[in-house]
């Protein structure tokens, strides 16, 4: 009897897995059901939350994977995938649903690689940033879908041209070497963005994301910042000028990680275009203003790339399984890239974490900051670096560390509080009062793309 029950349960499990891995296009209600199905299958390592609503009121759902869902663990990096930013570019949406089911199933099976990834990383997956646009595109179907049908949100706005333009601020402030990290937003920014964009900005302001990718269609290439050319400020037409960030070599490595793990992206020839190694600097392809990729780099600690995954923006269902097999390893390998460089705690002399401490790397003019608990993450290529942690009211600390090719190096900072000597009081005659200096007092300093992408 026990053997019969085991056989029946095994058969049911196989049927359940087969159903979960069916390759179909998911409308909004079906997408939501798929997410909650995953959550029900892996309740102890998943959480579903909404970051806001679209113009037409659809939730912008995120599925989180973590050994402690809903909790940021110190020194555990935050990672995100965002799909379907353009409503008619649907492959990323389906791949992220497949990835969600894959992570859950492999975790349940005890896959050591996936188990370690979920235990060591807080993974956030948003299958659709533009559910309204998707519904417009889906009504047309894969066969008759226009190249732009459903691309924009319900207000007719391209969400990848809707973020505050921090590139222009950077270029005008100091040419290409101007400030390029944690640039403040303009005072009226909320009135200039769509509900979906507002929700994402508030989302990435609330989580200390370290690495990210947004998934698009219309080409096959891994695209990295900057997306906007410096020359675009002088001309209205597109420019193709390579515009690297201070982390250009690191971004190239991140992009190659995806392209070489992909079934064919790395070959270069796709969709009538050629990109060496299957990667490109965004502005070198074409200049794009107000994009999400550059915004992540200039406003937050997050390093984001854009993945163009299919020549056909709305591929037929019979092609979805082939696309999943081509992208599965790349999607997992890219998440693993969040575990490189250095990370650590910034604390005071009483071991209290210091939030907002600035982590600077000599020779790379792009800083990151510590999170609310005082932990920080700085992606770096293998090598030896001189790193400084500084915070208002504290003496900076500098260390030299070596980064290897595997796990991140742990580099902790314990900052001493600044002690400022108070000026000596003087009598009217100009002599010192009682010829004695007043005791020292601690005084904290003042606080302070074209049609594809």
């Amino acid at each position: 009897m026990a053997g019969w029950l085991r056989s029946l349960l095994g058969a049911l499990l196989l049927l359940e897995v087969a159903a979960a891995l069916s390759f179909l296009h998911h409308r909004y209600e079906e997408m939501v059901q798929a997410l909650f199905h995953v959550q029900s299958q892996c309740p102890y390592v998943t959480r579903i939350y909404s970051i806001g609503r679209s113009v037409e009121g659809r939730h912008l759902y995120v599925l989180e994977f973590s050994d402690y869902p809903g909790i940021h663990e110190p020194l555990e990096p935050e990672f995100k995938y965002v799909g379907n930013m353009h409503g008619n570019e649907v492959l990323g949406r389906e791949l992220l649903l497949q990835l969600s089911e894959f992570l859950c199933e492999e975790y349940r099976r005890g896959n050591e690689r996936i188990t370690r990834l979920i235990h060591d990383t807080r993974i956030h997956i948003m299958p659709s940033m533009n559910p309204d646009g998707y519904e417009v595109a889906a009504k047309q179907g894969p066969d008759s879908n226009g190249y732009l049908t459903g691309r924009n949100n319900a207000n007719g706005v391209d969400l990848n041209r809707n973020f505050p333009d921090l590139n222009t601020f950077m270029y005008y402030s100091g040419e290409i070497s101007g400030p390029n990290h944690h640039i403040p937003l303009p005072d009226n920014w909320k009135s200039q963005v769509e509900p979906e964009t507002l929700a994402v900005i508030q989302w990435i302001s609330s989580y200390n994301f370290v690495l990210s990718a947004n998934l698009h269609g219309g080409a096959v290439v891994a695209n990295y910042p900057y997306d906007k050319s410096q020359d675009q400020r002088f001309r209205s037409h597109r420019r193709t000028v390579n515009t690297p960030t201070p982390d250009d070599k690191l971004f190239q490595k991140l992009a190659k990680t995806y392209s070489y793990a992909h079934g064919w992206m790395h070959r270069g020839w796709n969709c009538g275009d050629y990109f060496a190694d299957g990667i490109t600097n965004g502005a070198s392809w074409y200049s794009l203003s107000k994009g999400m990729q550059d915004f992540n780099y200039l406003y937050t600690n997050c390093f984001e790339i854009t993945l163009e995954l299919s020549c056909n923006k709305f591929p037929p269902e019979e092609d979805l399984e082939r696309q999943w097999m081509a992208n599965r390893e790349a999607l997992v390998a890219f998440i693993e890239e969040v575990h490189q460089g250095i990370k650590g705690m910034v604390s005071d002399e009483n071991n209290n974490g210091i939030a907002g401490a600035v982590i600077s790397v000599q020779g790379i003019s792009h800083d990151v900051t510590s999170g609310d608990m005082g932990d920080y993450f700085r992606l770096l290529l293998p090598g030896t670096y001189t790193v400084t942690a500084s915070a208002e009211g504290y003496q900076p600390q500098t260390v030299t560390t070596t980064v290897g090719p595997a796990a991140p190096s742990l580099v902790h900072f314990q900052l001493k509080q600044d002690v400022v000597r108070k000026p000596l009081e003087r009598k009217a005659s100009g002599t010192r009062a009682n010829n004695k200096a007043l005791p020292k007092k601690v005084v904290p300093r003042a606080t302070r793309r074209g049609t594809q992408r």
Side-chain angles (χ1 to χ4, degrees), residues 118-173:
I118 291 175
H119 285 183
D120 296 345
T121 322
R122 196 176 178 198
I123 304 166
H124 305 255
I125 298 174
M126 182 194 290
S128 181
M129 181 181 165
N130 186 3
D132 298 351
Y134 176 87
E135 293 303 308
V136 173
K139 288 178 182 177
Q140 303 295 315
D143 298 328
S144 60
N145 187 265
Y147 200 68
L148 298 176
T149 304
R151 174 184 175 88
N152 299 337
N153 75 344
N155 286 335
V157 175
D158 185 332
L159 298 179
N160 207 29
R161 308 292 190 281
N162 189 234
F163 285 78
D165 184 4
L166 302 184
N167 297 73
T168 295
F169 179 87
M170 172 183 65
Y171 296 146
Y172 273 106
S173 296

Side-chain angles (χ1 to χ4, degrees), residues 350-417:
N350 295 316
N351 293 318
N352 299 311
I354 301 174
V358 177
I359 310 300
S360 304
V361 179
Q362 184 175 310
I364 305 177
S365 59
H366 183 82
D367 301 339
V368 300
T369 55
S370 59
D372 292 340
M373 296 182 176
D375 55 342
Y376 76 91
F377 307 84
R378 205 339 172 158
L379 300 180
L380 292 167
L381 294 173
T384 300
Y385 299 90
T386 299
V387 186
T388 299
S390 58
E392 291 290 342
Y394 297 88
Q395 299 175 19
Q397 182 183 356
T398 300
V399 301
T400 298
T401 187
T402 298
V403 174
S409 299
L410 274 176
V411 181
H412 300 302
F413 294 92
Q414 190 169 49
L415 304 186
K416 295 181 179 180
Q417 200 165 26

Side-chain angles (χ1 to χ4, degrees), residues 35-67:
L35 291 175
F36 277 90
H37 172 77
V38 172
Q39 202 280 326
S40 69
Q41 295 301 302
C42 292
Y44 300 111
V45 293
T46 60
R47 175 178 73 111
I48 293 177
Y49 63 97
S50 172
I51 68 167
R53 291 179 182 265
S54 66
V55 171
E56 294 181 344
R58 295 181 174 91
H59 277 289
L60 304 177
Y61 281 118
V62 177
L63 177 64
E64 173 191 333
F65 282 87
S66 171
D67 53 345

Side-chain angles (χ1 to χ4, degrees), residues 176-402:
I176 199 68
S177 61
N180 57 42
H181 38 254
H182 305 98
I183 297 175
L185 300 180
D187 293 337
N188 60 343
W189 71 272
K190 289 185 178 180
S191 65
Q192 299 177 359
V193 300
E194 293 297 300
E196 298 90 347
T197 311
L198 174 62
V200 168
I201 292 176
Q202 292 175 334
W203 180 41
I204 65 180
S205 300
S206 301
Y207 292 81
N208 189 17
F209 289 114
V210 179
L211 182 63
S212 171
N214 69 87
L215 282 55
H216 288 248
V220 178
V221 64
N223 172 95
Y224 55 90
Y226 289 121
D227 260 340
K228 183 173 181 177
S229 168
Q230 184 181 13
D231 288 346
Q232 182 168 306
R233 60 189 172 130
F234 300 115
R235 303 171 177 86
S236 59
H237 58 82
R238 295 181 187 173
R239 299 286 297 167
T240 56
V241 179
N242 187 63
T243 310
T245 68
D247 288 286
D248 187 59
K249 291 182 179 179
L250 172 62
F251 271 119
Q252 289 187 43
K253 193 257 188 180
L254 294 171
K256 287 180 182 179
T257 295
Y258 198 94
S259 71
Y260 275 89
H262 186 276
W264 52 81
M265 184 183 289
H266 59 280
R267 298 174 187 170
W269 284 108
N270 292 291
C271 315
D273 294 319
Y274 177 74
F275 300 100
D277 296 311
I279 69 172
T280 184
N281 170 263
S284 181
W285 185 10
Y286 61 84
S287 187
L288 182 162
S289 184
K290 300 183 180 181
M292 184 167 69
Q293 173 175 271
D294 285 5
F295 182 84
N296 270 268
Y297 186 71
L298 295 173
Y299 183 63
T300 76
N301 291 324
C302 190
F303 287 56
E304 179 167 289
I305 69 172
T306 300
L307 299 171
E308 301 283 348
L309 297 176
S310 62
C311 304
N312 189 341
K313 288 173 175 281
F314 206 125
E317 288 183 342
E318 54 265 29
D319 193 37
L320 294 180
E321 184 173 7
R322 182 180 75 98
Q323 292 286 356
W324 164 241
M325 297 308 297
N327 284 275
R328 184 179 66 183
E329 171 60 24
L331 287 166
V332 174
F334 187 74
I335 299 175
E336 292 173 329
E337 287 297 295
V338 78
H339 297 285
Q340 64 170 299
I342 61 174
K343 66 178 182 178
M345 300 295 300
V346 183
S347 59
D348 62 18
E349 294 174 280
N350 295 316
N351 293 318
N352 299 311
I354 301 174
V358 177
I359 310 300
S360 304
V361 179
Q362 184 175 310
I364 305 177
S365 59
H366 183 82
D367 301 339
V368 300
T369 55
S370 59
D372 292 340
M373 296 182 176
D375 55 342
Y376 76 91
F377 307 84
R378 205 339 172 158
L379 300 180
L380 292 167
L381 294 173
T384 300
Y385 299 90
T386 299
V387 186
T388 299
S390 58
E392 291 290 342
Y394 297 88
Q395 299 175 19
Q397 182 183 356
T398 300
V399 301
T400 298
T401 187
T402 298

